Amino acid sequence: MSKDKKILLSFDVEEFDLPMEYKQKISIEEQLEVGYKGLVELEAITNNLNAQFTLFTTAFFADHFPDNIKTLSRQHEIASHTYFHSTFKEEDLKTSKEKLETIIGKPIYGLRMPRMKFVNADVISQAGYQYNSSINPTWVPGRYNNLHLPRTIFSENGLMQLPVSVTPHFRIPLFWLAFKNMPYSIFLKMALQTLRHDGYVCLYFHPWEFIDLSNYKLPFYIKTDSKKLFQKLNRLIGHLSCEGEFTAIHSFIKSKELQPVLN
């Protein structure tokens, strides 16, 4: 294992509001319950590993399960996923940061917007964040086209921008949907290629992916067998740990010199 190579594994901890994107009603109580069940599965993954991850959590979710979030903060970095997953106002940037800091008793340094929503870098900095990990530097039809943005970490007006990883050259996204649906050997090959090329790889998932979603009317490519996915993630963690060190994003950010400012 090379300590020079860093694996930035993160999870978006949130209310499970995904069915609403597909015109299905789901109560806020059920959204929280599904999110919580997923968090319990995540705790099962993290409890047996000597590794640091980053958990981007909504303040609304954390406020309902503060003990779980505070316990996880002892080993892992807690960062902001704004206040609510389904709605957003600019003031949520500051209030979510303050709420999370109250819950865990530690500073919050990072932000990831739900659904990778764009927010101006100056606005994020003014809310007190040191880094933003809300860019998927690829093209996803119907979501975003970020092919014009840097593929790797850069500084924008003093804010560190950490895009989630895509492969060199062709910018194939290494996000959660790719992991769920690609053959494992292909995803692993691309993740290792990116890790070796960039010196780090930034991957993200959601805790709710690891529970049974078969009762929801969601596309088949979202409802992958949760038990198989759990085993697949553990397998990935094992393979990546032979190549680099799992570390929290803020620790990685601190170790980097600022890159040229984006014009």
Coordinates of all heavy atoms in Angstrom, one line a residue, residues 172-207:
I172 N -15.0 9.1 -17.9 CA -16.1 8.1 -17.6 C -16.4 8.3 -16.1 O -15.5 8.2 -15.3 CB -15.7 6.7 -17.9 CG1 -15.5 6.5 -19.4 CG2 -16.8 5.7 -17.5 CD1 -14.9 5.2 -19.8
P173 N -17.6 8.6 -15.7 CA -17.9 8.8 -14.3 C -17.8 7.6 -13.4 O -18.2 6.5 -13.8 CB -19.3 9.4 -14.3 CG -19.9 8.8 -15.5 CD -18.8 8.7 -16.5
L174 N -17.2 7.8 -12.2 CA -17.0 6.7 -11.3 C -18.0 6.9 -10.1 O -17.7 6.5 -9.0 CB -15.6 6.7 -10.8 CG -14.5 6.4 -11.8 CD1 -13.1 6.5 -11.2 CD2 -14.7 5.1 -12.5
F175 N -19.2 7.4 -10.4 CA -20.1 7.7 -9.3 C -20.9 6.4 -9.0 O -20.7 5.3 -9.6 CB -21.0 8.9 -9.6 CG -21.9 8.7 -10.8 CD1 -23.1 9.4 -10.9 CD2 -21.7 7.8 -11.8 CE1 -24.0 9.3 -11.9 CE2 -22.5 7.7 -12.9 CZ -23.7 8.4 -13.0
W176 N -21.9 6.6 -8.1 CA -22.6 5.4 -7.5 C -23.3 4.6 -8.5 O -23.3 3.4 -8.5 CB -23.5 5.9 -6.4 CG -24.6 6.8 -6.9 CD1 -24.5 8.2 -7.2 CD2 -26.0 6.5 -7.1 NE1 -25.7 8.7 -7.5 CE2 -26.6 7.7 -7.5 CE3 -26.8 5.4 -6.9 CZ2 -28.0 7.8 -7.7 CZ3 -28.1 5.4 -7.2 CH2 -28.7 6.6 -7.6
L177 N -23.9 5.2 -9.5 CA -24.7 4.5 -10.5 C -23.8 3.6 -11.4 O -24.1 2.5 -11.8 CB -25.5 5.4 -11.4 CG -26.9 5.8 -10.9 CD1 -27.5 6.9 -11.8 CD2 -27.8 4.6 -10.7
A178 N -22.6 4.1 -11.7 CA -21.6 3.3 -12.4 C -21.2 2.1 -11.6 O -21.1 1.0 -12.2 CB -20.4 4.2 -12.8
F179 N -21.0 2.3 -10.4 CA -20.6 1.2 -9.5 C -21.7 0.1 -9.4 O -21.4 -1.1 -9.5 CB -20.2 1.7 -8.1 CG -19.8 0.6 -7.2 CD1 -18.6 0.0 -7.3 CD2 -20.6 0.2 -6.1 CE1 -18.1 -1.0 -6.5 CE2 -20.2 -0.8 -5.2 CZ -18.9 -1.4 -5.4
K180 N -22.9 0.5 -9.4 CA -24.0 -0.4 -9.2 C -24.2 -1.2 -10.5 O -24.7 -2.4 -10.4 CB -25.3 0.4 -9.0 CG -25.4 1.0 -7.6 CD -26.6 1.9 -7.5 CE -27.9 1.2 -7.2 NZ -28.1 0.8 -5.8
N181 N -23.9 -0.7 -11.7 CA -24.3 -1.3 -12.9 C -23.2 -1.8 -13.8 O -23.4 -2.6 -14.7 CB -25.2 -0.3 -13.7 CG -26.5 0.0 -13.0 OD1 -27.4 -0.8 -13.1 ND2 -26.6 1.2 -12.4
M182 N -22.0 -1.3 -13.6 CA -20.9 -1.9 -14.3 C -20.4 -3.2 -13.8 O -20.5 -3.5 -12.6 CB -19.7 -0.9 -14.3 CG -19.7 0.3 -15.1 SD -18.2 1.2 -15.0 CE -18.6 2.6 -16.1
P183 N -19.9 -4.1 -14.6 CA -19.2 -5.3 -14.1 C -18.1 -4.8 -13.1 O -17.4 -3.9 -13.4 CB -18.6 -5.9 -15.4 CG -19.5 -5.5 -16.5 CD -19.9 -4.1 -16.1
Y184 N -18.0 -5.6 -12.0 CA -17.0 -5.1 -11.0 C -15.6 -5.0 -11.5 O -14.9 -4.0 -11.2 CB -17.0 -6.1 -9.8 CG -16.0 -5.8 -8.8 CD1 -16.3 -4.8 -7.9 CD2 -14.8 -6.4 -8.7 CE1 -15.4 -4.4 -6.9 CE2 -13.9 -6.1 -7.7 CZ -14.1 -5.1 -6.8 OH -13.2 -4.8 -5.9
S185 N -15.2 -5.9 -12.4 CA -13.8 -5.9 -12.8 C -13.5 -4.6 -13.7 O -12.4 -4.1 -13.6 CB -13.5 -7.1 -13.7 OG -14.4 -7.2 -14.8
I186 N -14.5 -4.1 -14.4 CA -14.3 -2.9 -15.2 C -14.2 -1.7 -14.3 O -13.4 -0.8 -14.5 CB -15.4 -2.8 -16.3 CG1 -15.3 -4.0 -17.3 CG2 -15.4 -1.5 -17.0 CD1 -16.4 -4.0 -18.3
F187 N -15.2 -1.6 -13.4 CA -15.2 -0.5 -12.5 C -13.8 -0.4 -11.7 O -13.2 0.7 -11.5 CB -16.3 -0.5 -11.5 CG -16.4 0.7 -10.6 CD1 -17.2 1.8 -11.0 CD2 -15.8 0.8 -9.4 CE1 -17.3 2.9 -10.3 CE2 -15.9 1.9 -8.6 CZ -16.6 3.0 -9.1
L188 N -13.4 -1.6 -11.2 CA -12.2 -1.6 -10.4 C -11.0 -1.2 -11.3 O -10.1 -0.4 -10.8 CB -11.9 -3.0 -9.9 CG -10.6 -3.2 -9.1 CD1 -10.5 -2.3 -7.9 CD2 -10.4 -4.7 -8.7
K189 N -10.9 -1.6 -12.5 CA -9.8 -1.2 -13.4 C -9.8 0.3 -13.6 O -8.7 0.9 -13.6 CB -10.0 -2.0 -14.7 CG -8.9 -1.7 -15.7 CD -9.1 -2.5 -17.0 CE -8.0 -2.2 -18.0 NZ -8.2 -3.0 -19.3
M190 N -11.0 0.9 -13.8 CA -11.1 2.3 -14.0 C -10.7 3.1 -12.8 O -10.1 4.1 -12.8 CB -12.4 2.7 -14.6 CG -12.7 2.2 -16.0 SD -14.2 2.9 -16.8 CE -15.4 2.6 -15.6
A191 N -11.2 2.6 -11.6 CA -10.9 3.3 -10.3 C -9.4 3.2 -10.1 O -8.8 4.3 -9.6 CB -11.6 2.6 -9.2
L192 N -8.7 2.1 -10.3 CA -7.3 2.0 -10.1 C -6.5 2.8 -11.1 O -5.5 3.5 -10.7 CB -6.9 0.5 -10.2 CG -7.3 -0.4 -9.1 CD1 -6.9 -1.8 -9.4 CD2 -6.7 0.0 -7.7
Q193 N -7.0 2.9 -12.3 CA -6.3 3.7 -13.3 C -6.4 5.2 -12.9 O -5.4 5.9 -13.0 CB -7.0 3.6 -14.7 CG -6.5 4.5 -15.8 CD -7.4 4.6 -17.0 OE1 -8.6 4.4 -16.9 NE2 -6.9 4.9 -18.1
T194 N -7.5 5.6 -12.4 CA -7.7 7.0 -12.0 C -6.8 7.3 -10.7 O -6.2 8.3 -10.6 CB -9.1 7.3 -11.7 OG1 -9.9 7.0 -12.8 CG2 -9.4 8.8 -11.3
L195 N -6.8 6.4 -9.8 CA -6.0 6.5 -8.6 C -4.5 6.7 -8.9 O -3.8 7.5 -8.4 CB -6.2 5.3 -7.7 CG -5.4 5.2 -6.4 CD1 -5.7 6.4 -5.4 CD2 -5.7 3.9 -5.6
R196 N -4.0 5.8 -9.8 CA -2.6 5.8 -10.2 C -2.3 7.1 -11.0 O -1.2 7.6 -10.8 CB -2.3 4.6 -10.9 CG -2.3 3.3 -10.1 CD -2.4 2.1 -10.9 NE -2.5 0.9 -10.1 CZ -2.9 -0.3 -10.5 NH1 -3.1 -0.5 -11.8 NH2 -3.0 -1.4 -9.7
H197 N -3.2 7.5 -11.8 CA -2.9 8.7 -12.7 C -3.0 10.0 -11.9 O -2.1 10.9 -12.0 CB -4.0 8.7 -13.8 CG -3.7 9.8 -14.8 ND1 -4.2 11.1 -14.6 CD2 -3.1 9.8 -16.0 CE1 -3.9 11.9 -15.6 NE2 -3.2 11.1 -16.5
D198 N -4.0 10.1 -11.0 CA -4.2 11.4 -10.3 C -3.6 11.4 -8.9 O -3.5 12.5 -8.3 CB -5.7 11.6 -10.1 CG -6.4 11.8 -11.5 OD1 -5.7 12.1 -12.5 OD2 -7.7 11.6 -11.5
G199 N -3.3 10.3 -8.3 CA -2.7 10.2 -7.0 C -3.8 10.1 -5.9 O -3.5 10.0 -4.7
Y200 N -5.1 10.2 -6.4 CA -6.2 10.0 -5.5 C -7.4 9.6 -6.3 O -7.4 9.8 -7.5 CB -6.5 11.3 -4.7 CG -7.1 12.4 -5.5 CD1 -8.5 12.6 -5.6 CD2 -6.4 13.3 -6.3 CE1 -9.1 13.6 -6.4 CE2 -6.9 14.3 -7.0 CZ -8.3 14.4 -7.1 OH -8.9 15.4 -7.9
V201 N -8.4 9.1 -5.6 CA -9.7 8.9 -6.3 C -10.8 9.3 -5.3 O -10.7 9.0 -4.1 CB -9.8 7.4 -6.7 CG1 -9.8 6.4 -5.5 CG2 -11.1 7.2 -7.6
C202 N -11.8 10.0 -5.8 CA -12.9 10.5 -5.0 C -14.2 9.8 -5.4 O -14.7 10.1 -6.5 CB -13.0 12.0 -5.1 SG -14.3 12.7 -4.1
L203 N -14.7 8.9 -4.6 CA -15.9 8.1 -4.9 C -17.0 8.4 -3.9 O -16.8 8.8 -2.7 CB -15.6 6.6 -4.8 CG -14.4 6.1 -5.6 CD1 -14.1 4.7 -5.3 CD2 -14.6 6.3 -7.1
Y204 N -18.3 8.3 -4.3 CA -19.4 8.5 -3.4 C -20.6 7.6 -3.6 O -20.8 7.2 -4.7 CB -19.8 10.0 -3.4 CG -20.7 10.4 -4.6 CD1 -22.1 10.6 -4.4 CD2 -20.2 10.7 -5.9 CE1 -22.9 11.0 -5.5 CE2 -21.0 11.1 -6.9 CZ -22.3 11.2 -6.7 OH -23.1 11.6 -7.7
F205 N -21.2 7.3 -2.5 CA -22.4 6.4 -2.5 C -23.4 7.0 -1.5 O -23.2 8.1 -0.9 CB -22.0 5.0 -2.0 CG -20.9 4.4 -2.8 CD1 -19.5 4.6 -2.4 CD2 -21.1 3.7 -4.0 CE1 -18.5 4.0 -3.2 CE2 -20.1 3.2 -4.7 CZ -18.8 3.3 -4.3
H206 N -24.5 6.3 -1.3 CA -25.6 6.7 -0.4 C -25.9 5.5 0.5 O -26.0 4.4 0.0 CB -26.9 7.1 -1.1 CG -26.7 8.1 -2.2 ND1 -26.3 7.7 -3.5 CD2 -26.8 9.4 -2.2 CE1 -26.3 8.8 -4.3 NE2 -26.5 9.8 -3.5
P207 N -26.1 5.7 1.8 CA -26.4 4.6 2.7 C -27.7 3.8 2.2 O -27.7 2.6 2.4 CB -26.6 5.2 4.0 CG -25.7 6.4 4.0 CD -25.8 6.9 2.6

